[in-house]
Amino acid sequence: MSEGLDTVAATVRAVLRDVLALTDVRAAALTDDTPLFGAMPELDSMAVAGLLTEIEDRVGIVIEDDEVDGEMLESFGSLVRFVGAKALR
């Protein structure tokens, strides 16, 4: 992972921790392969909106409605790559 993507991963991890009220231990255990939507009970459809809004605010990006799909929220790694692609342009 590049330095920029490491920073994005740390930010996404912090947002997940804060928005979903995860423990620090649980947030620290997130890996690229950790499944998110559909696997994490805290991340339901209502929480997705709050999560994406907080990511937009902290990273300074805009996530369009048509960009939100199951693939983007499939795993921690896929979410980090999505945010990184928007933030590191």
Side-chain angles (χ1 to χ4, degrees):
M1 223 181 265
S2 71
E3 183 178 328
L5 211 50
D6 285 344
T7 302
V8 169
T11 301
V12 171
R13 183 182 314 278
V15 170
L16 284 165
R17 182 194 64 222
D18 296 348
V19 171
L20 304 180
L22 302 179
T23 64
D24 289 342
V25 170
R26 198 156 161 225
L30 294 170
T31 67
D32 273 0
D33 297 327
T34 301
L36 295 180
F37 193 70
M40 235 181 205
E42 299 88 350
L43 188 58
D44 59 17
S45 56
M46 293 300 291
V48 168
L51 176 70
L52 298 180
T53 299
E54 190 63 22
I55 288 172
E56 287 178 325
D57 290 347
R58 291 196 199 182
V59 180
I61 60 174
V62 174
I63 301 171
E64 302 296 338
D65 290 344
D66 64 352
E67 294 177 308
V68 180
D69 61 23
E71 187 176 309
M72 163 226 223
L73 294 166
E74 183 177 1
S75 68
F76 178 71
S78 63
L79 182 58
V80 168
R81 285 187 295 277
F82 171 82
V83 174
K86 292 195 69 82
L88 302 173
R89 287 184 188 174

